[in-house]
Amino acid sequence: MASFRYFTGPMDCGKSTLALQIDHTHTAGGRRGRLFTSRDRAGEAIISSRLGLRRPAVEVHPAFSFWGYVVDQLSAGARIDYVVCDETQFYTPAQVDDLARLVDELDVDVFAVGILTDFQTHLFPGSRRLVELCDSMEVLQVEALCWCGRRATHNARTVDGLMVVEGDQVVVGDIEQLHDLEPGGEEPAPVAQAAVVAYEVLCRRHHRARLTRSAAQAGLAETLPFGTTEGWEGQQ
Ligand SMILES: [Zn+2]
């Protein structure tokens, strides 16, 4: 019987590596699957891991239909035993509903991998739907670390090196031209064109204190009223 499994964790905890590993394991076992991703760091239609592995995948745009895609493939005589879905935080709730339907009505195993919460610590809409619908949810054991050495559990966004807590939920970092990628939005609007957007994982304490690694190194910590520098001094 097929199942709907959700694997989650913050950035930098090996999620894409896991997605590729799941696909490899099932392919080696003689099963046939399809890979999906959305806005991977390597570009469209590729799943890439920080360890250097990469595989072609189907790009999931806001209007993409998992149900339509799989039914078309099956109708054309293809075999699909499972799907591996990476970067699921960018999927719409309707697409997640579609994934559950694949499990229940077509007996296709679904492995969903993605981030749970955004840079403001709120659930992504697609991630919320995954929590609501999946058969099992697993928090990845490969743990990312904050600069202080604690477990990194929260994603921080920086603009030109400074942590921000306001802005659109989805802004992809590390690209030349930055755009508002709001699902279903109209013309992409340039967002702070010259700004460099990046992400960093922090422990909850340092996310709340807005203290990134570079801010801590710059000595800003000393000017803040909370006891946020403990742990960091030991790292020098
Ligand atoms: Zn920390």
Side-chain angles (χ1 to χ4, degrees):
M1 189 179 295
S3 68
F4 191 177
R5 298 178 67 187
Y6 179 34
F7 301 86
T8 189
M11 304 175 77
D12 291 333
C13 75
K15 290 186 302 303
S16 293
T17 303
L18 174 73
L20 295 173
Q21 178 65 46
I22 290 170
D23 178 57
H24 175 77
T25 301
H26 287 263
T27 300
R31 305 185 77 210
R32 304 282 174 80
R34 295 288 186 281
L35 295 170
F36 299 89
T37 191
S38 185
R39 301 166 195 157
D40 184 273
R41 64 182 77 82
E44 284 218 341
I46 294 171
I47 294 179
S48 70
S49 79
R50 286 189 165 76
L51 299 183
L53 306 169
R54 53 170 64 196
R55 286 282 318 273
V58 176
E59 181 74 15
V60 178
H61 297 288
F64 178 79
S65 166
F66 281 101
W67 181 260
Y69 177 91
V70 170
V71 167
D72 283 352
Q73 293 269 307
L74 296 177
S75 303
R79 180 180 141 200
I80 299 181
D81 301 315
Y82 67 92
V83 295
V84 176
C85 301
D86 197 17
E87 307 287 0
T88 52
Q89 70 276 6
F90 297 138
Y91 298 7
T92 66
Q95 286 169 335
V96 175
D97 277 67
D98 251 12
L99 292 174
R101 194 176 169 201
L102 294 182
V103 176
D104 295 341
E105 298 185 27
L106 296 178
D107 210 32
V108 172
D109 280 315
V110 173
F111 301 94
V113 183
I115 297 169
L116 198 58
T117 55
D118 66 15
F119 74 109
Q120 294 173 312
T121 72
H122 300 139
L123 288 164
F124 285 94
S127 306
R128 174 191 301 271
R129 198 66 186 134
L130 278 160
V131 171
E132 291 165 347
L133 291 181
C134 72
D135 291 314
S136 69
M137 175 175 161
E138 296 170 43
V139 178
L140 295 180
Q141 295 303 305
V142 178
E143 293 181 355
L145 297 180
C146 179
W147 55 263
C148 70
R150 287 190 189 86
R151 226 181 121 210
T153 48
H154 288 70
N155 301 301
R157 176 186 295 168
T158 59
V159 175
D160 289 338
L162 292 175
M163 182 170 163
V164 295
V165 293
E166 304 277 327
D168 295 324
Q169 186 171 46
V170 177
V171 175
V172 176
D174 301 319
I175 56 174
E176 252 173 55
Q177 185 93 19
L178 299 168
H179 284 117
D180 174 1
L181 293 166
E182 190 68 23
E186 296 175 5
E187 279 293 295
V191 173
Q193 205 139 4
V196 176
V197 174
Y199 291 89
E200 178 175 343
V201 287
L202 299 172
C203 66
R204 188 191 59 234
R205 173 182 301 219
H206 287 134
H207 192 281
R208 292 185 63 239
R210 304 187 195 179
L211 204 53
T212 60
R213 174 187 294 275
S214 60
Q217 281 172 335
L220 292 180
E222 294 164 22
T223 68
L224 292 172
F226 350 93
T228 45
T229 57
E230 60 182 275
W232 169 246
E233 284 155 13
Q235 305 284 313
Q236 305 257 20

